[in-house]
Amino acid sequence: MEEVKQIVSSIKNGNIAPIYFLTGEEPYYIDKIAEYIEKNVLTEEERGFNQVILYGKEVSIEDIVGNAKRYPMMAERQVVIIKEAQHLSRSIENLVSYSDQPQPSTVLVLCYKYNKLDKRKKLYKSIKKSGIIFESKKLYENQVADWIKKSLHSRGYGITFKAANLLVEFLGTDLGKIDKELEKLSLVIPKGIEITPEAIEVNIGISKDYNNFELKKAIVERDVLKATRIVSYFAQNPKDNPFVLTITLMYSFFIQVLTYHGLKDHSPKSVSSALGIRPYFVTEIQAAAKNYPMRRVSEIISNLRELDVKGKGVGSNMTQDDLLKELLFKIF
């Protein structure tokens, strides 16, 4: 996020590079930088003649170079944005002749999503000298809640720990998807308010009581009644609570518990570092380890693998209701 701010700040100050090569696994920041350049480098009057948006599926490197070498009309600069540039991966190195001597009056932006340049090759080294290479790295799941907190803080909101993790559990790590939901919240909730699970339930439709976060908690505590109620709710609302998400989360959690059992140092700091989780979650792992011995955890992981295969329809045509009931049976 800091690197994005630096790029935007440089553009605001008039320090505009001739090439922006935006690459990486996280499309959110790539889109944000490209969108900022699209809306702010040229005035509204200049854009009509001097801004071109092309798509990697539809153009060649020669087309891009041809557009980039044009001179602007009645403006200091022109902007050429190539979206979905990753479709040009086989020929992208052919851009090196242009990047060695880019047109000073052109701002060329390449959105090279889900991929990255080979640092050993000429193009990477060439753009590094003449322009900006930005790699948008995917956040780990345990980093997304902090990202939500920072994003909301910049908009004038707070959010409780449980509410942030509820969003992560339901929406995953897709920052673009999360940002849209945060935008919805900011439209209906007054600034300065701390966002709670109740606010998320009312405005986004994520249940604060019936979700995988609460299911995991019930399983850790061996609360069979609560867990049964939650999976019954899942069975009645399969679109909002897909089995594949539940089984994946449960499997990942028990892998963490198994790893915990194998650690020599069970101090919170050591566990947090070894498992790649926030210290807050260490207590949950420790509680699960007490209720599920190492041998039992190994059995559960094996059972979850088999259930995952059944859930994908391999050798089974079980309903979501049946799959969820068997999930609890295999764990408890």
Side-chain angles (χ1 to χ4, degrees), residues 60-70 94-95 97-98 108:
S60 65
I61 296 298
E62 289 73 22
D63 295 328
I64 294 170
V65 172
N67 277 277
K69 283 188 173 180
R70 286 192 302 110
N94 294 336
L95 193 63
S97 59
Y98 176 80
L108 177 60

Side-chain angles (χ1 to χ4, degrees), residues 218 222-230 328 332:
R222 296 193 66 84
D223 188 337
V224 179
L225 181 59
K226 182 180 177 181
T228 303
R229 285 175 180 161
I230 293 172
L328 293 190
F332 288 130

